[in-house]
Amino acid sequence: MIGGNWVGVALAATLVAGCGGDPDSDGDGQISMAEAAEEAKSAGTVKPQPGQYRATVQVVELEAPDAPPEAVAMMRDMMARSFEYCLTPEQADKGFEEMAKESQEGNCSFEKFDIDGGSIDAVMICAGQGGEEMRMTMQGSGDRTSSEMLMSMEGGMPGQGGGKLTMKTSHERIGDCAT
């Protein structure tokens, strides 16, 4: 469950700008994905510029004490990568709010969600299918054509026991999409 929707939420969160106050609107001590999406919407979002982007994912730290060394090396190799993708105008218009809605399937909520001037400092807790819990911290910034994020995930990894993964991601617009 590392990657996937969690990383998508984190990357989208770097595009949010401004802050309107306490996003915990129901006072339960947790910030749901819906509350985070509403905060992003009310605070205003910096929507990415459509176009061709290059994404780079670097593995800063990977600890999986219960996994064989070969499996850890394979996970590191699979996650560290660069790739390009086309962000269409329709996808850019969806912004953080839509990605947060899509992530609700992951049973996640924010413990902290501070956004200011295109920067984010957040902590998200996600419950896994096997009862394990993953804590993800996100710190980064973004604008219309680029973003950088340092993400650290710690907790139960399906099939691997406890562990920790820290990744640095960057996205940069490199031109128009190929037609």
Side-chain angles (χ1 to χ4, degrees):
M1 206 159 163
I2 291 174
N5 287 342
W6 295 352
V7 174
V9 169
L11 298 174
T14 66
L15 302 171
V16 181
C19 188
D22 183 8
D24 182 16
S25 61
D26 60 9
D28 67 356
Q30 294 183 345
I31 303 158
S32 69
M33 296 305 261
E35 287 171 324
E38 189 57 37
E39 174 66 12
K41 185 177 176 182
S42 67
T45 59
V46 175
K47 291 189 179 178
Q49 183 179 354
Q52 189 73 17
Y53 282 78
R54 179 179 300 123
T56 304
V57 179
Q58 298 172 317
V59 176
V60 177
E61 180 181 12
L62 176 58
E63 295 176 11
D66 295 340
E70 308 81 41
V72 172
M74 187 167 56
M75 285 189 290
R76 181 181 296 275
D77 290 345
M78 287 174 38
M79 288 184 265
R81 60 191 175 119
S82 291
F83 57 95
E84 292 184 13
Y85 62 94
C86 176
L87 185 67
T88 67
E90 296 79 20
Q91 291 168 323
D93 281 343
K94 289 181 181 179
F96 176 76
E97 181 180 4
E98 186 64 28
M99 290 192 86
K101 286 178 187 174
E102 290 173 6
S103 309
Q104 288 182 16
E105 297 171 16
N107 197 20
C108 299
S109 64
F110 284 98
E111 183 178 283
K112 177 181 180 180
F113 189 76
D114 294 333
I115 298 173
D116 186 20
S119 296
I120 184 167
D121 184 8
V123 177
M124 185 168 55
I125 308 294
C126 295
Q129 297 172 343
E132 68 276 348
E133 183 175 279
M134 181 69 70
R135 178 182 176 89
M136 182 170 159
T137 60
M138 299 170 275
Q139 296 159 337
S141 61
D143 58 30
R144 287 186 42 83
T145 60
S146 66
S147 67
E148 283 200 12
M149 178 78 66
L150 184 64
M151 297 175 288
S152 183
M153 295 170 259
E154 191 168 358
M157 295 183 190
Q160 303 299 319
K164 182 176 182 176
L165 170 65
T166 302
M167 298 185 303
K168 180 180 178 182
T169 62
S170 62
H171 292 246
E172 178 181 20
R173 188 178 188 280
I174 57 175
D176 293 332
C177 293
T179 55

